[in-house]
Amino acid sequence: MQYLARGLTPAAPPTFCATGRRPSALLSALFCALALTACGGGDNDDVARAECAVVTGAGNVTVGSGVAGDPAAPEPASGYRLGKTAVNSRSYMVITANPLASQAGCEVLRSGGHAADAAVAVQAVLGLVEPQSSGLGGGAFLLHYDAQTRTVQAYDGRETAPAAATENDLRWVDATTDRTLPKPSARASGRSIGTPGAVRMLGLVHQEHGRRPWKDLFKPGIDLATNGFAVSGRMAAAIQASATDLKRDPEAAATYFNADGSPKALGTRFTLPAYADTLTRLAEGGADALYTGAIAQSIVDKIGTTTGADGSVITPGRTTLADLAAYQPKKREAVCTTYRAYWVCGMPPPSSGGITVASALGILENFDLAAQQPTAVDGEGGRPTVLGVHLVSEAERLAYADRDRYIADTDFVPLPGNSPSALLDKDYLKGRAALIRTTASLGTAQPGNFGLAPLGADRGRDNGTTHVSIVDRAGNVVVLTTTVESSFGAFHMTRGFILNNQLTDFSPAPADAAGLPIANRLAAGKRPRSSMAPTLVFRRNADGSRGDFLMATGSPGGGAIIQYVTKTLIGVLDWGLDAQQATNLVDFGAANGPTTNVGGEHPAVNAANNGNADPLVNGLRALGHTVSVAAQSSGIGTIVRTAPFGRPGYTGGADPRREGVVLGDVLVAP
């Protein structure tokens, strides 16, 4: 046993589920003798565990403790944090974009909670510590894997347009009397705010899968909002960047700025009693407390605001109490397709993420990507090859072309063939792959022709968001991508939380320049198309059926989410990278246009002078790509089922481009 020599401690004994109390040392020893897995002991005593703590050279560090090595200690936001390595765990793991949220989820898992329980606790904290990305006033998509039944279920918590919405609401104040843009902009007006869906969706998931009492899952968020936390670098930077718009809202101005008008800075002790009160109401009244009563009235009142704190005009939205009361999350069938020796499952519409990722992979299945493994592979993922990036980017152009033309809320606009099957047919994708040339870029690809009435294309504008990956002791998995759309949503705030601007994910015009209707046009009750792509991967059995769980991943990043997730999947499945390497790997890819992204924040990319001295960039430009080396802001969280130290477990990676950490019953080699 080498715990003390390494500054480590043995794994904490398990709690008794009935009481929540820890057993005595003697009883703990007897318990471990009978249930080695629960305590992480057994025949390999040289492997220590750090439960819900970060392992540093000086020992285990609890998130939020304030001691040296605390990942929640405030530091300036950076484009890329060097040196992140994979984290191994024995039986459970959670990855979020903020250490305090990871801690909240980990403690739920540590006590025997379900992945669904942890997701609720995580979202409650994220809405406080990362309000620019997600929260109670936003929406979400979630995939759940039930380890016992071996089934995958998709949950749709996307926002909806109000019943009084019209197709021109995002481009005109009034179609008859005032054909000017909503004020002060479509995004910052009440017109952009959809009926929030995240809370009721989480309520449904918890109702079907949760083990811990709903009310207990809000305690970490309530405690942080009441007692305070230090403002992180990303939160401080987001406040600074949105200062003018946030100050238009009296509650946001009072929350995120000091008395002299200066923004709350890095390290500021931040409390939010209004948020604590809202969480308390949700804990006591259930998810419905957001959709009826006082909170619902506050949401409607804020959406109806007509004047800003600075006296500026704000175009109000059309949401009513009836819209909130009527909102329902939806259970949908996950989009599951084969890719080489694997099954990959993603979100169906109204998210385009699942179909578009599957489409890109289906095209790439026709190429030998293993031969294009990155060179100089190190902890940061290595250097992608020119041909590897070219092939992936071309496949994505073709996939995005179909996305832009055909994918929207299928409750309003059906897919070709009324299911994802036509877009993901293997022969169809083989034909799409044949359009790719190894010597030149397509530039802008054309969508496939399915013999339907013509539709106009809409590329969308969505961005922002955060992602969560969770696996519990029983092997149940949740991947959750959750959002208020743009940073700080519509800049409207009520009762301690930000309201989304999700309706700007609709096309502002109902038809294109040729007069062809756009699938993703705004309509009453409709859900805007998204790019969110929470993803699960399974092994493929010899008979072709879906086998054991292998991988969970996802990312924020708006329209580029599809590129980030595709890159990560290929990194693990084709290039053999571990969870952290694949997450770290250069963010690259393309939507359907001439520009190919190569993330200049990565140390393997020389972004100086527009990348003119970088061999990858120059190689792509020689093939006709217009290359952008702008820094990418992915927030990938990846869990891979592995055998760390020779025993079944998990390996996780959190994106170095954000502040997230991996927590669980972490294994540490002697």
Side-chain angles (χ1 to χ4, degrees):
M1 304 285 282
Q2 302 182 35
Y3 302 125
L4 298 180
R6 293 180 53 82
L8 301 172
T9 58
T15 57
F16 286 130
C17 296
T19 65
R21 296 192 297 270
R22 296 202 178 279
S24 68
L26 176 59
L27 190 55
S28 174
L30 292 172
F31 187 92
C32 284
L34 294 172
L36 298 176
T37 301
C39 291
D43 58 1
N44 189 351
D45 288 336
D46 286 335
V47 180
R49 286 199 303 167
E51 293 210 69
C52 297
V54 174
V55 179
T56 72
N60 300 350
V61 176
T62 300
V63 174
S65 63
V67 304
D70 178 5
E75 59 182 38
S78 60
Y80 189 96
R81 294 177 292 164
L82 280 167
K84 288 181 70 69
T85 57
V87 174
N88 298 307
S89 76
R90 172 64 47 76
S91 58
Y92 62 88
M93 181 174 281
V94 56
I95 308 172
T96 82
N98 183 278
L100 295 170
S102 292
Q103 183 72 23
C106 191
E107 291 297 342
V108 171
L109 298 176
R110 182 180 187 178
S111 69
H114 191 283
D117 298 320
V120 176
V122 163
Q123 180 65 89
V125 171
L126 283 173
L128 174 69
V129 302
E130 201 190 30
Q132 70 272 19
S133 298
S134 75
L136 309 180
F141 291 108
L142 183 150
L143 287 183
H144 174 268
Y145 171 64
D146 187 309
Q148 183 174 4
T149 63
R150 300 173 72 85
T151 56
V152 177
Q153 180 67 61
Y155 292 86
D156 170 5
R158 188 67 159 166
E159 298 90 336
T160 56
T166 74
E167 62 183 12
N168 292 307
D169 272 359
L170 296 173
R171 61 174 180 163
W172 297 328
V173 173
D174 186 275
T176 303
T177 63
D178 187 355
R179 290 196 170 192
T180 63
L181 286 172
K183 307 296 187 295
S185 66
R187 172 192 168 179
S189 74
R191 294 282 178 83
S192 73
I193 302 172
T195 304
V199 172
R200 249 191 190 153
M201 184 204 74
L202 287 170
L204 174 61
V205 176
H206 179 265
Q207 176 185 331
E208 295 190 346
H209 303 289
R211 294 179 189 150
R212 292 289 176 265
W214 169 267
K215 63 182 179 60
D216 294 349
L217 303 175
F218 294 89
K219 187 177 186 302
I222 293 169
D223 288 348
L224 283 168
T226 302
N227 301 319
F229 65 96
V231 171
S232 71
R234 286 187 64 83
M235 181 176 172
I239 295 170
Q240 176 70 51
S242 298
T244 300
D245 290 302
L246 287 172
K247 287 182 177 180
R248 197 178 298 115
D249 184 278
E251 183 172 336
T255 298
Y256 297 115
F257 298 87
N258 299 311
D260 63 359
S262 61
K264 296 286 177 70
L266 172 71
T268 301
R269 198 71 183 170
F270 185 89
T271 61
L272 191 49
Y275 189 75
D277 178 70
T278 294
L279 291 187
T280 299
R281 290 171 182 259
L282 288 173
E284 295 173 349
D288 286 351
L290 190 89
Y291 296 87
T292 59
I295 298 177
Q297 185 64 63
S298 295
I299 293 172
V300 170
D301 290 346
K302 181 55 60 101
I303 293 173
T305 296
T306 59
T307 307
D310 57 359
S312 61
V313 174
I314 299 176
T315 302
R318 304 185 190 276
T319 302
T320 67
L321 286 172
D323 291 311
L324 283 158
Y327 180 86
Q328 292 297 325
K330 297 195 174 187
K331 293 172 66 173
R332 300 187 187 271
E333 182 179 352
V335 175
C336 295
T337 58
T338 59
Y339 176 66
R340 306 193 197 278
Y342 311 99
W343 278 89
V344 179
C345 294
M347 278 301 306
S351 177
S352 66
I355 291 177
T356 312
V357 168
S359 176
L361 292 176
I363 293 168
L364 290 167
E365 200 168 24
N366 294 279
F367 298 91
D368 182 10
L369 283 187
Q372 300 303 321
Q373 183 171 359
T375 62
V377 174
D378 57 6
E380 311 305 330
R383 300 174 184 272
T385 66
V386 172
L387 185 56
V389 173
H390 172 73
L391 291 174
V392 173
S393 299
E394 297 301 282
E396 290 173 345
R397 284 182 167 89
L398 291 160
Y400 273 92
D402 284 350
R403 165 201 186 264
D404 297 344
R405 177 63 58 86
Y406 297 114
I407 302 177
D409 183 349
T410 49
D411 293 339
F412 288 75
V413 180
L415 291 169
N418 291 309
S419 83
S421 299
L423 289 167
L424 300 178
D425 177 79
K426 294 291 186 181
D427 289 336
Y428 170 70
L429 294 178
K430 185 175 182 179
R432 300 289 276 168
L435 299 173
I436 295 176
R437 297 171 292 169
T438 59
T439 56
S441 174
L442 291 165
T444 300
Q446 295 303 307
N449 185 353
F450 292 92
L452 304 173
L455 290 170
D458 167 51
R459 295 183 181 177
R461 290 144 294 282
D462 53 345
N463 53 72
T465 314
T466 195
H467 179 78
V468 179
S469 294
I470 304 171
V471 59
D472 65 28
R473 291 183 187 273
N476 304 301
V477 187
V478 161
V479 277
L480 165 69
T481 310
T482 175
T483 183
V484 290
E485 218 286 78
S486 301
S487 183
F488 284 110
F491 310 115
H492 287 53
M493 188 177 192
T494 187
R495 291 184 174 266
F497 61 92
I498 294 291
L499 297 176
N500 69 84
N501 67 301
Q502 214 67 248
L503 300 189
T504 57
D505 274 357
F506 283 117
S507 169
D512 68 6
L516 297 175
I518 292 171
N520 190 40
R521 60 191 178 273
L522 175 60
K526 192 175 181 180
R527 301 176 188 224
R529 184 181 63 205
S530 168
S531 297
M532 290 186 277
T535 304
L536 297 172
V537 181
F538 302 85
R539 297 193 182 278
R540 189 176 180 182
N541 290 329
D543 63 0
S545 62
R546 193 168 68 219
D548 293 337
F549 166 74
L550 176 65
M551 180 180 177
T553 194
S555 179
I561 288 173
I562 292 159
Q563 299 165 43
Y564 302 151
V565 170
T566 301
K567 170 215 78 168
T568 306
L569 292 169
I570 290 168
V572 172
L573 304 181
D574 287 295
W575 294 337
L577 301 179
D578 70 31
Q580 189 65 62
Q581 289 173 315
T583 297
N584 291 353
L585 182 65
V586 175
D587 281 338
F588 64 84
N592 190 23
T595 300
T596 297
N597 298 314
V598 175
E601 79 290 344
H602 196 282
V605 177
N606 181 358
N609 195 25
N610 198 30
N612 288 341
D614 187 87
L616 172 59
V617 172
N618 286 332
L620 291 169
R621 286 174 177 161
L623 294 175
H625 295 258
T626 300
V627 180
S628 168
V629 292
Q632 300 296 299
S633 185
S634 57
I636 304 159
T638 305
I639 298 173
V640 179
R641 181 70 166 159
T642 55
F645 310 116
R647 302 180 66 175
Y650 302 94
T651 299
D655 204 317
R657 300 163 185 85
R658 298 207 179 195
E659 297 164 333
V661 296
V662 181
L663 292 178
D665 52 344
V666 175
L667 300 173
V668 186

